[in-house]
Structures are given as C-alpha cells and as structure tokens.
Amino acid sequence: MDLWTYERQQWNNGCTALCGVDEAGAGPLAGPVYAAAVILPREIDLPGLNDSKKLTPKKREALFDQITAAAEAYSIAFVTAEEIDQMDILNARMLAMNRAIGGLSVPPDLCLIDGNRDHGSAVAITAPHLCLVGGDGKSASIAAASILAKVSRDRYVTDVLDREYPQYQFARHKGYGTKLHYAMLDQYGPCPAHRQTFLKKWEDKRT
C-alpha cells in the first residue's frame, strides 16, 4: 500500500504542516506510555518505513535515526506509571499524544492519529485531527511516529528500568505481561515501576 495516500489527500485540501501521531506501551504492566508526533517532508524516501510492530528492533533503530534527522519537526513525550494509575490508560494515552503534539516546534495544521479514539473521560486530543484505524500501517506520518514512540520507550525500559530493577529483566520483556515477567513478579513482587492498576492482571494470573 502507498503510505502517502492519506497525506496527499490532506495536502490537496490545503494542509501544509501535516503531523502523524502514535503511542507505544499502552498494554504493559510496568513503565510509562510514550507518544510521538512527527511532521515529515513531503513524500520523503524512507526505505522500509512501516508500522513499528512489523519491523525488527535493528530496523526500527535505523529508521529512528533517519526520521529524526529528516523530519521538519518531531516531538516525543511520555506519561509515567504513576500518572497512568491516577487517570487510567486511555486518558494517559491521550495525554501523552497531547504532550507530543504540544512539543512540536512547528504547529501542525492537522494531526493524523492512529486508532479510533481521540478522548478519554478526562483528556481529549486538542489539536485539529483525524483518527485513522490501523494508521501505523496506512500512513507514512503515523508509521514514523510509531517508530519514534516504540524505540524511545524500548530505550527507556532497557537503559533505565532494567538497570534500576535488574531482577525483573525488563530489557527482555519490555514490561509486557509475558511468562517471564509474571515469573519475576511471582518471585519478587511488584516494584515502583509497575502500574498498580495493571497488577490485577498479575493477580488474576496467579489465581
């Protein structure tokens, strides 16, 4: 599929600063949720650009460097595990995306948002936007944002959480509810990096 189809439609409608937005880390039991917003040059050639989930870690890292070097503007933001516990993950996702959009050095005319949700019970996307279901596999701008968010979160989990709490082996499971992660929780219990509201999944797993 041509990843520039949705961008062309908006450029033809008069948009100039078109921004892709996506988040990473909504599902894990631990760590922050990250979001990224990126404005790419029109139809820039980024070989292999795709939904971050469909790429190898090595390819994501390479594209991260290419995207950040070439982007007209980009911003990466996060919402902490403590904030997630305070507001719930849907509101946290919206807040992370708002923070990423707000951090752009170029105000966007329109944001293409991955997914079908643009608000929670308390937080809504405030910038002009369109939601695109499966957008990380349909839009170059959203795909780029998905890579920036995913790589940034993986780096944080590996470089910070794994070093602070090595017994949990965060670098291996990235905080997701894998068999290994549950085994570490069974052995050590939760640590401050865990989302307390998500630990019911762990408790349910034990019963």
Side-chain angles (χ1 to χ4, degrees):
M1 178 179 176
D2 185 348
L3 290 179
W4 294 102
T5 299
Y6 291 94
E7 280 81 356
R8 289 192 199 101
Q9 291 174 355
Q10 300 307 321
W11 291 329
N12 291 339
N13 289 336
C15 287
T16 54
L18 185 61
C19 173
V21 185
D22 200 5
E23 49 81 17
L29 306 177
V33 59
Y34 268 73
V38 58
I39 301 174
L40 293 175
R42 292 196 181 198
E43 305 201 44
I44 184 174
D45 184 23
L46 293 167
L49 181 66
N50 203 341
D51 172 3
S52 64
K53 297 185 292 296
K54 298 178 181 178
L55 302 172
T56 64
K58 183 177 180 179
K59 184 61 177 177
R60 286 196 297 264
E61 287 282 351
L63 279 165
F64 181 98
D65 293 340
Q66 294 171 35
I67 292 164
T68 54
E72 294 182 0
Y74 74 91
S75 172
I76 300 165
F78 64 90
V79 171
T80 66
E82 292 80 6
E83 290 176 302
I84 293 169
D85 287 337
Q86 291 168 8
M87 65 179 62
D88 77 39
I89 189 59
L90 178 57
N91 282 300
R93 287 172 54 208
M94 299 302 116
L95 180 57
M97 289 192 281
N98 271 342
R99 287 176 175 173
I101 296 166
L104 289 167
S105 59
V106 177
D109 297 323
L110 183 71
C111 297
L112 298 177
I113 307 289
D114 183 53
N116 64 353
R117 303 296 295 270
D118 64 357
H119 68 280
S121 60
V123 183
I125 302 297
T126 54
H129 64 276
L130 291 174
C131 291
L132 184 58
V133 176
D136 44 9
K138 298 176 180 177
S139 158
S141 300
I142 297 176
S146 78
I147 290 167
L148 298 193
K150 172 64 173 169
V151 171
S152 296
R153 186 182 187 278
D154 284 356
R155 288 177 177 177
Y156 175 82
V157 172
T158 299
D159 296 341
V160 178
L161 293 189
D162 195 64
R163 291 181 182 178
E164 290 184 353
Y165 309 103
Q167 67 271 36
Y168 294 95
Q169 302 184 51
F170 281 117
R172 293 181 61 186
H173 53 69
K174 305 299 189 292
Y176 285 87
T178 65
K179 183 178 180 180
L180 172 63
H181 194 177
Y182 284 123
M184 296 302 98
L185 280 167
D186 286 337
Q187 184 172 356
Y188 299 109
C191 74
H194 284 97
R195 304 171 184 177
Q196 300 305 307
T197 48
F198 275 46
L199 289 181
K200 187 177 185 302
K201 298 180 181 179
W202 170 54
E203 294 166 354
D204 290 345
K205 188 81 172 180
R206 299 179 76 193
T207 58

